[in-house]
Amino acid sequence: MAYRLFEGKEHASIYKQYRFTPPTVLKDIIIQYLDKKKGQPHVLAVDLGCGTGQHTRLLAPHFKEVVGIDISECQLEEARSVPGFTNITYREGTAEELPFEDGTVDLLTAASAAHWFDQSRFLIEANRVLKPGGCMALLGFTDWYIKLNYKDCGDKLNCIYHEVKELLKPYTSSAVAASESKLEDLYSAIPFPDKERIESFLNKSMISVRKLVGFISSWSMYNSYKSKDPQGAEDMLANVQKRFLDDMGVTSADTEIEREWEYYCILASKPLSAERKHQTAMTYRLFEGKEHAASYWKYRISPSDHLIRQLLDFLEKHRGRPFELAVDVGCGSGQGTLLLSKHFASVVGTDVSPAQLEVALQQAKEPNITYRQSAAEELPFADSSADLVTAMSAFHWFDRPRFLHEAHRVLKPQGSLAVLNYTIDMELSYPDCCKNTLNQVCKEFYATLQPYRSPHLGQSSIELYREGYASIPYPNKEWHECFWDTRSMPLSSYMGLVESFSSYQGLLRKDPHKANRLSQDVCERLMSVMKVTSADTEVTVAVKYFYLLACKPQET
């Protein structure tokens, strides 16, 4: 850090006694910003210029590990003397040379300290150590805005305070002036496109006269004055305290007054690199258009209650009730998410597509359902927090090893993973109609779409699921390959369902005219076999599901 003004033992002790802890509400805003930009888990927070650790300790409940960094060993000794925070460590160091590997820090903070940093070197280091999506939070207070209130003498108290500021103004460094400007230059220099300012965050609290005067004694400008005129500085403090007490009409320096302080905060999120974006997204993003998302909601089939019952029975057998949190990964427009809502206290659907989630939110009436945009490979949930993790007709699009690793991380011990899908070879039936003839038309339809199937899926996605099942190391797991689910729907809905498949969408993108002509031709041929004239005619559709169930072992 560019300045070394707070290293003496006496000053460190004053810092510990009198420096203000930032308001908890502001800390909550920072954590919410991190949740929004990066999501869970919160592994490592680094508090730069931590001093005696007031702000560092606020972060402790929210991270697996918190490291406070300061140039002053005396300040760190005072910080370490505060007991009860086993996940906090303190290290001597500077903001310009951080002792962390590249891309390892979730949150980088500095409370009333960033104005002391070498701006350009600090920003280079911040960019280096932050994870993609990791966040920076730089906060402080503007000491020229303060309101002191005690009965009817608030104006007098404020005048005394500002007289002190004017007296010490010649000893004010350019760094402190930068803090008073709310770090405007530093904010402009932050290279991340995703950044924002909280200009005026007002906070009220009570403070004794003794602590207010002690706070003044912790200022860098006071200590610069004291180094030149020790006695004059001591006399000034004594005089300030006396004037406060006289105007208030009290004799005890422990008398409390109300103070209103103005905080500011800079928030910035490191962007995902092009490579990282590719890694953290579901491997293929084919369902993001608004029109396709609407089609998904209208036509995509959801598992039957009976199939959902199989999943819940497996979970209850291995973990028991109550069912608290279910996570539906790759939820699309939320059909499967809705099915889970009546069985769990909370259900969260995640998907990489904002368009899909927009449709899901429009349909979500149940108060226990929420949706979050998230890649399957980086789920925004804490370790061991979910009873059930599901992927319904989505697993084949994921980076499967990474998703299985994430599912293991977020599942509670004895929580369940349920991954299911259905085959494209659905079978139709209609009264007084030759079933074989009807389904021959369907098979030809599917065969025509096969060349437009994503190479990622291979000839049959069922093989991908078998491989996923084989790779899961849990002793308690089940594979089910032939679960038929029969339902009635208008023939037009069956056509809409097939048209929502990625293979049909591939053809539609390549040759819209050919895709529309194919769909119209198939529908007319099916109506001819059924001897009907309306596509609204109800037809029975049998869907072949396959699924895997796996129970995370009890941790030892």
Side-chain angles (χ1 to χ4, degrees):
M1 295 170 193
Y3 296 82
R4 306 179 68 116
L5 300 176
F6 310 106
E7 297 193 70
K9 288 187 176 181
E10 181 182 358
H11 197 187
S13 177
I14 290 171
Y15 238 66
K16 180 181 176 182
Q17 291 181 68
Y18 300 122
R19 273 284 161 152
F20 301 149
T21 300
T24 301
V25 177
L26 189 53
K27 178 264 300 179
D28 291 341
I29 290 173
I30 293 169
I31 298 300
Q32 289 166 11
Y33 182 83
L34 178 63
D35 277 336
K36 177 182 176 182
K37 300 300 179 182
K38 180 191 170 294
Q40 297 277 358
H42 297 166
V43 181
L44 174 61
V46 177
D47 187 28
L48 300 173
C50 66
T52 50
Q54 285 91 333
H55 184 243
T56 320
R57 291 187 284 274
L58 278 183
L59 300 173
H62 303 278
F63 293 85
K64 183 178 180 180
E65 180 183 6
V66 181
V67 179
I69 301 285
D70 203 276
I71 200 168
S72 168
E73 185 58 36
C74 291
Q75 294 274 352
L76 296 176
E77 284 180 11
E78 293 288 349
R80 294 184 186 110
S81 70
V82 179
F85 297 91
T86 57
N87 64 330
I88 295 180
T89 56
Y90 293 99
R91 299 178 65 171
E92 186 176 350
T94 72
E96 298 82 12
E97 294 184 13
L98 297 174
F100 304 98
E101 297 292 329
D102 296 358
T104 55
V105 176
D106 296 81
L107 177 68
L108 201 60
T109 67
S112 304
H115 51 287
W116 298 112
F117 302 166
D118 180 312
Q119 176 177 297
S120 58
R121 293 177 61 207
F122 160 64
L123 291 176
I124 290 171
E125 276 293 85
N127 185 56
R128 180 184 67 81
V129 303
L130 279 173
K131 296 177 180 178
C135 297
M136 183 192 311
L138 311 177
L139 58 148
F141 53 85
T142 52
D143 205 23
W144 287 105
Y145 178 91
I146 182 174
K147 288 185 179 179
L148 302 174
N149 295 299
Y150 182 81
K151 297 182 179 178
D152 58 353
C153 64
D155 289 342
K156 293 181 180 180
L157 301 181
N158 288 316
C159 285
I160 296 169
Y161 187 86
H162 287 293
E163 284 177 19
V164 175
K165 295 285 292 186
E166 286 295 331
L167 176 64
L168 296 176
K169 194 172 183 178
Y171 303 94
T172 302
S173 70
S174 59
V176 172
S179 177
E180 295 293 349
S181 73
K182 303 180 184 178
L183 302 176
E184 288 180 0
D185 290 343
L186 179 56
Y187 176 77
S188 297
I190 294 172
F192 306 157
D194 194 342
K195 58 184 178 180
E196 60 187 72
R197 298 173 64 94
I198 300 174
E199 291 283 351
S200 300
F201 184 90
L202 299 181
N203 180 251
K204 290 183 179 181
S205 62
M206 302 301 292
I207 186 173
S208 69
V209 173
R210 187 189 314 281
K211 287 191 174 182
L212 181 58
V213 174
F215 173 66
I216 294 172
S217 74
S218 76
W219 293 350
S220 62
M221 49 274 206
Y222 173 80
N223 281 272
S224 296
Y225 174 41
K226 185 177 179 181
S227 67
K228 293 186 177 182
D229 186 356
Q231 189 59 51
E234 292 292 339
D235 291 345
M236 185 203 73
L237 281 186
N239 182 53
V240 167
Q241 179 167 303
K242 182 177 185 304
R243 290 179 65 191
F244 275 142
L245 296 178
D246 288 348
D247 284 342
M248 292 165 63
V250 298
T251 58
S252 173
D254 292 325
T255 303
E256 290 193 329
I257 59 179
E258 181 188 69
R259 69 175 179 97
E260 184 176 11
W261 224 254
E262 182 187 58
Y263 280 85
Y264 64 87
C265 185
I266 291 171
L267 299 169
S269 174
K270 179 177 176 178
L272 300 178
S273 66
E275 177 184 4
R276 182 68 169 172
K277 284 181 179 177
H278 176 73
Q279 290 174 345
T280 58
M282 296 179 189
T283 310
Y284 288 80
R285 303 177 68 131
L286 301 177
F287 310 104
E288 298 196 66
K290 288 188 176 182
E291 185 177 344
H292 195 187
S295 175
Y296 236 65
W297 170 258
K298 185 174 181 180
Y299 297 119
R300 275 283 166 143
I301 58 175
S302 55
S304 65
D305 288 337
H306 182 58
L307 181 51
I308 293 295
R309 185 74 260 164
Q310 308 306 304
L311 279 54
L312 299 178
D313 287 347
F314 183 87
L315 175 61
E316 185 170 17
K317 174 183 175 182
H318 292 284
R319 178 166 176 80
R321 291 181 178 270
F323 298 160
E324 294 173 346
L325 172 63
V327 178
D328 184 22
V329 185
C331 66
S333 48
Q335 288 93 328
T337 319
L338 286 169
L339 291 174
L340 297 171
S341 64
K342 57 188 175 183
H343 302 286
F344 289 83
S346 177
V347 182
V348 181
T350 72
D351 202 277
V352 77
S353 167
Q356 293 281 353
L357 293 177
E358 183 178 341
V359 174
L361 284 167
Q362 292 170 358
Q363 306 299 330
K365 310 301 182 185
E366 289 72 6
N368 63 331
I369 293 180
T370 56
Y371 290 99
R372 299 185 67 172
Q373 185 178 354
S374 165
E377 300 81 8
E378 289 193 0
L379 297 173
F381 303 96
D383 296 357
S384 301
S385 58
D387 297 84
L388 176 70
V389 173
T390 69
M392 305 187 195
S393 303
F395 177 70
H396 44 285
W397 297 116
F398 302 164
D399 181 325
R400 292 177 290 279
R402 291 180 63 213
F403 164 69
L404 291 175
H405 183 269
E406 270 294 86
H408 174 80
R409 181 185 65 78
V410 304
L411 278 172
K412 296 176 181 178
Q414 296 183 300
S416 293
L417 171 67
V419 177
L420 55 140
N421 195 19
Y422 51 87
T423 63
I424 193 174
D425 50 342
M426 295 171 288
E427 295 185 358
L428 272 58
S429 58
Y430 184 73
D432 302 322
C433 172
C434 177
K435 185 175 180 180
N436 290 338
T437 305
L438 194 63
N439 283 297
Q440 183 59 37
V441 177
C442 296
K443 289 177 182 178
E444 291 174 11
F445 189 15
Y446 307 146
T448 304
L449 297 178
Q450 186 69 25
Y452 303 96
R453 181 180 174 85
S454 169
H456 172 74
L457 301 178
Q459 287 295 110
S460 172
S461 60
I462 193 170
E463 296 301 325
L464 304 179
Y465 284 71
R466 286 199 189 102
E467 291 172 6
Y469 173 77
S471 70
I472 296 172
Y474 302 163
N476 291 323
K477 60 181 182 178
E478 299 178 3
W479 172 257
H480 300 266
E481 191 169 314
C482 191
F483 183 94
W484 286 94
D485 185 13
T486 302
R487 63 193 66 198
S488 294
M489 65 179 71
L491 179 61
S492 59
S493 293
Y494 163 76
M495 296 302 302
L497 171 60
V498 179
E499 289 169 4
S500 74
F501 290 164
S502 61
S503 54
Y504 182 87
Q505 292 291 311
L507 171 59
L508 187 64
R509 285 191 298 273
K510 184 174 182 178
D511 189 340
H513 179 69
K514 181 178 179 180
N516 291 326
R517 189 172 65 247
L518 172 66
S519 182
Q520 183 177 354
D521 179 61
V522 168
C523 187
E524 289 175 353
R525 289 178 63 194
L526 290 172
M527 287 192 294
S528 176
V529 174
M530 294 163 61
K531 299 178 181 178
V532 298
T533 57
S534 172
D536 292 330
T537 304
E538 292 276 324
V539 64
T540 300
V541 181
V543 184
K544 182 182 177 182
Y545 276 89
F546 53 91
Y547 60 98
L548 67 86
L549 304 170
C551 172
K552 177 178 176 178
Q554 180 70 48
E555 296 174 343
T556 57

